[in-house]
Amino acid sequence: MKSSLLLFGLMLLSQLSWAQPNTEVYLLEYQQSEDDFKTISLKNLSQNEGYDNQPSWFDNDHILYGRTQNGATEIALQSTVDGSVSIPYQQTSGGEYSPQRLGAEQDDVLAVRLDTTGYQGLYRYDKNGSSDELIPGLRMAYFTVINPKDL
């Protein structure tokens, strides 16, 4: 059967600590048949000190994830082809987590923003540098995008 790519985040839990330092995002290429599962390759995609986690596919060649960047957790967009990383969405005080593309036809991304007061809300980000809270006042921890109209 044709090789497929599976993306998963590997979390390395620290002892007695709520924070998750030094987590990484891995890319696993595998081959699956009716009665077998064979690993082709396993690559540490993020290779970044600090928190790198909660990946999701942006398109066939890029993933989004929360990445420690200059002491904050930002939305990273990384190429699975050449490994290049960009931080194309607005950087805010606090941090952004669980980024997901809003839909295949859009470049907008949704992410949970944890602000400096501890408030967590769901925000929509665009590459022009703007963001807005999707449902003002609604505390959010995790979500999934089904399509651009259903979360």
Side-chain angles (χ1 to χ4, degrees):
M1 183 177 258
K2 184 178 175 185
S3 292
S4 299
L5 293 179
L6 174 65
L7 178 68
F8 66 94
L10 180 62
M11 297 184 347
L12 303 175
L13 300 175
S14 61
Q15 295 179 1
L16 304 173
S17 175
W18 183 79
Q20 299 174 355
N22 298 320
T23 55
E24 298 291 346
V25 175
Y26 285 81
L27 185 65
L28 170 69
E29 184 178 2
Y30 69 94
Q31 190 172 45
Q32 184 176 0
S33 65
E34 212 170 280
D35 23 317
D36 192 26
F37 181 91
K38 180 180 176 185
T39 299
I40 306 296
S41 67
L42 178 65
K43 178 182 178 185
N44 179 337
L45 196 60
S46 56
Q47 296 186 26
N48 182 50
E49 190 170 326
Y51 181 87
D52 303 310
N53 214 319
Q54 302 171 322
S56 65
W57 288 103
F58 184 81
D59 59 27
N60 288 337
D61 296 326
H62 296 87
I63 61 161
L64 292 164
Y65 61 96
R67 176 185 177 95
T68 298
Q69 191 76 23
N70 300 323
T73 302
E74 305 294 351
I75 300 169
L77 180 64
Q78 185 162 359
S79 168
T80 59
V81 177
D82 66 14
S84 61
V85 178
S86 64
I87 311 292
Y89 298 93
Q90 178 179 333
Q91 297 179 20
T92 62
S93 60
E96 288 79 30
Y97 300 88
S98 304
Q100 296 178 40
R101 189 176 188 183
L102 187 53
E105 303 301 316
Q106 299 184 37
D107 284 342
D108 288 3
V109 168
L110 297 180
V112 173
R113 180 189 298 169
L114 174 61
D115 72 20
T116 56
T117 67
Y119 175 77
Q120 289 184 187
L122 183 60
Y123 286 77
R124 180 179 184 155
Y125 297 83
D126 69 29
K127 287 186 177 180
N128 296 324
S130 65
S131 67
D132 59 307
E133 190 172 12
L134 204 60
I135 306 170
L138 178 65
R139 289 187 173 269
M140 179 69 63
Y142 296 98
F143 69 97
T144 190
V145 175
I146 297 169
N147 61 53
K149 294 184 180 190
D150 296 307
L151 303 175

